Amino acid sequence: MFPDIHEVFNIFPKDYINDINGWGFDKKTIEQNRGNLLTLDIDFGNYCSLNCPYCFRSNNSVDNIPKELTNDKLIEIILEAKTIGLRSVKFLGKGDPFENNGFLDFLRFLHSENIIPLIFTKGQVIGDNKEVEKYFGKYDIKTSVDLAKELKRLNASIMLGFNSCSDRKQNLMVGDKTGNYSNVRNNALIALVKAKFNEGNPTSLALAVNPVTKQNIDEAFEIYKWARTRNIYCIITPTMVSGLAKNEAWKKITPPVNELVELYSKIYKFNIESGIQTKEQVIEEGISAYAGGHPCNQVACGMYLTLYGVVLSCPGNEENVEGNIYENSITEIWNKSNNRLIRGGKYNCSCIAKDGKSIPDGFYSIIMNNIYHAK
């Protein structure tokens, strides 16, 4: 069941930006900053109270170095990265950042440096007043709305996990044992809307439906439409091929090709009919790995810094190692990286982790053909 949030758009304005603040970069920015490190994905802390069965950061081969990066070391890396172009930081794991000490201080540091933070979270802290006071009471932040307002002040973008409208299914997809997770998630979403995260162009709020699996593909399109008409960005894509979904595990949860084709095609048709994108724009940009979303160009201008200092091309695959921060500086790693030398300057990078696996070969061409010949 969707929370009670009012619709913002039925038909989208002509200048609508199909993105969430701080994530993707437009063609002009990519071209003018070829060779610059514009974004970093990072881990913040190790603890997460949930137990998602498909977690891309559990049982991960990059975690064999028992030395976590300290907050001071992260600050040092961020300041160095800023000298070579850094504009945004995405918090992905390994723990949920809101459940790890020092996170708000780190966000305030980023704000002081004019760096946009994008935070992936399942909302188990944001949506629970007791948890908010537990982690942030010392800052006089004691409620969900208090925390949401502070995050808005710090220019954060929030990528809130939202896999299903079914309480039973949603609780299974995050490994929740309390039976109350869906309520907490909805409380988080309402608090973020009250703090005006879904105002502005681009929006600062997204629902992370991903990974789309055999469990939730039947409702993914309805979640997408509901979110977009409320000016909430929505990311839908099959699973990463890492952590608990690596080796052959991704095959067990990835929907059949025909179901993925139908979902992506419906989403792009909705985008065109509602004015999120024009048909010409879709043809020019190409199909995104995130259905209906801004093309991913993370690997053209960024890298993933893990909790233990290993630097990867992308979070979705553990094998694409670019270096180790304990051996080389972030500048040295970036300058020699495949992302800079091979993919630098590319606007639509598809997905180097999923392509040929959870996103099957030829998939983008099939979707584009459906759009090209649509009336």
Side-chain angles (χ1 to χ4, degrees):
M1 184 174 179
F2 291 114
D4 185 15
I5 294 172
H6 293 300
E7 192 173 276
V8 176
F9 296 123
N10 185 10
I11 299 299
F12 288 74
K14 290 185 178 180
D15 64 344
Y16 187 74
I17 298 173
N18 185 28
D19 200 359
I20 183 172
N21 188 41
W23 189 340
F25 298 94
D26 60 36
K27 284 187 175 182
K28 183 177 180 181
T29 299
I30 288 289
E31 290 169 0
Q32 291 182 345
N33 289 275
R34 185 186 181 100
N36 289 346
L37 179 69
L38 300 181
T39 188
L40 274 177
D41 291 356
I42 68 172
D43 292 335
F44 193 94
N46 190 38
Y47 179 71
C48 179
S49 59
L50 298 175
N51 189 27
C52 300
Y54 48 79
C55 179
F56 85 101
R57 281 301 279 116
S58 295
N59 192 30
N60 203 301
S61 61
V62 301
D63 295 336
N64 58 1
I65 302 171
K67 186 179 180 182
E68 294 184 14
L69 294 175
T70 64
N71 289 6
D72 287 344
K73 183 64 175 177
L74 273 176
I75 289 172
E76 177 188 317
I77 293 168
I78 294 299
L79 290 174
E80 180 182 344
K82 190 177 176 184
T83 68
I84 52 174
L86 189 70
R87 299 185 182 188
S88 67
V89 167
K90 298 194 290 295
F91 295 91
L92 302 179
K94 181 174 192 300
D96 187 293
F98 290 101
E99 294 183 300
N100 287 272
N101 292 328
F103 186 52
L104 187 58
D105 290 330
F106 193 76
L107 291 179
R108 288 175 174 177
F109 155 72
L110 292 178
H111 184 63
S112 72
E113 294 294 331
N114 199 30
I115 295 171
I116 300 171
L118 297 97
I119 309 165
F120 282 83
T121 178
K122 298 296 185 183
Q124 66 268 35
V125 172
I126 298 176
D128 187 326
N129 287 340
K130 289 183 179 179
E131 291 295 296
V132 170
E133 185 164 12
K134 172 183 172 182
Y135 287 105
F136 302 103
K138 65 181 180 181
Y139 302 96
D140 201 28
I141 295 172
K142 299 180 180 180
T143 69
S144 296
V145 173
D146 288 344
L147 179 56
K149 287 180 178 179
E150 176 65 3
L151 294 171
K152 182 64 175 175
R153 186 186 73 82
L154 296 175
N155 198 32
S157 291
I158 303 295
M159 320 288 288
L160 182 67
F162 196 111
N163 305 110
S164 174
C165 288
S166 160
D167 291 351
R168 181 192 63 82
K169 194 184 296 184
Q170 178 63 90
N171 291 341
L172 285 172
M173 293 187 76
V174 297
D176 175 61
K177 296 180 180 179
T178 68
N180 193 45
Y181 168 75
S182 291
N183 290 329
V184 172
R185 177 205 66 189
N186 286 352
N187 290 341
L189 183 53
I190 290 169
L192 291 165
V193 169
K194 285 181 177 178
K196 302 182 179 180
F197 269 81
N198 66 326
E199 295 185 6
N201 186 22
T203 183
S204 296
L205 181 59
L207 297 189
V209 183
N210 54 298
V212 60
T213 70
K214 293 175 181 178
Q215 285 180 284
N216 66 344
I217 191 168
D218 61 327
E219 53 184 319
F221 181 56
E222 292 305 316
I223 295 173
Y224 183 88
K225 288 195 301 180
W226 183 88
R228 297 312 300 263
T229 56
R230 285 153 179 80
N231 197 27
I232 300 171
Y233 194 59
C234 195
I235 54 174
I236 296 178
T237 188
T239 185
M240 296 181 178
V241 186
S242 60
L244 296 179
K246 63 185 173 187
N247 300 325
E248 298 295 302
W250 63 268
K251 294 182 180 180
K252 297 178 181 178
I253 63 173
T254 301
V257 176
N258 65 306
E259 293 184 16
L260 286 173
V261 167
E262 181 182 8
L263 173 62
Y264 273 63
S265 298
K266 286 168 67 176
I267 284 174
Y268 275 102
K269 181 180 179 182
F270 170 79
N271 277 12
I272 293 168
E273 290 178 346
S274 62
I276 292 175
Q277 295 173 286
T278 65
K279 182 176 180 179
E280 293 72 23
Q281 181 185 358
V282 175
I283 292 171
E284 179 186 356
E285 290 184 352
I287 302 301
S288 172
Y290 295 96
H294 190 286
C296 182
N297 41 44
Q298 142 80 21
V299 294
C301 57
M303 300 184 296
Y304 173 34
L305 173 63
T306 69
L307 183 65
Y308 300 100
V310 177
V311 180
L312 302 174
S313 299
C314 161
N317 192 312
E318 302 166 27
E319 299 172 2
N320 296 320
V321 176
E322 298 283 10
N324 188 308
I325 205 69
Y326 292 117
E327 298 172 358
N328 298 101
S329 69
I330 196 70
T331 302
E332 291 169 335
I333 294 171
W334 170 245
N335 285 339
K336 294 180 180 179
S337 70
N338 288 321
N339 286 4
R340 179 178 178 272
L341 299 175
I342 297 174
R343 306 176 189 105
K346 189 175 181 181
Y347 175 65
N348 186 342
C349 298
S350 301
C351 184
I352 65 170
K354 303 183 187 82
D355 289 351
K357 295 178 181 177
S358 58
I359 295 179
D361 289 327
F363 181 76
Y364 304 111
S365 297
I366 295 171
I367 307 304
M368 183 62 78
N369 187 62
N370 289 347
I371 293 167
Y372 191 81
H373 292 291
K375 294 181 181 180

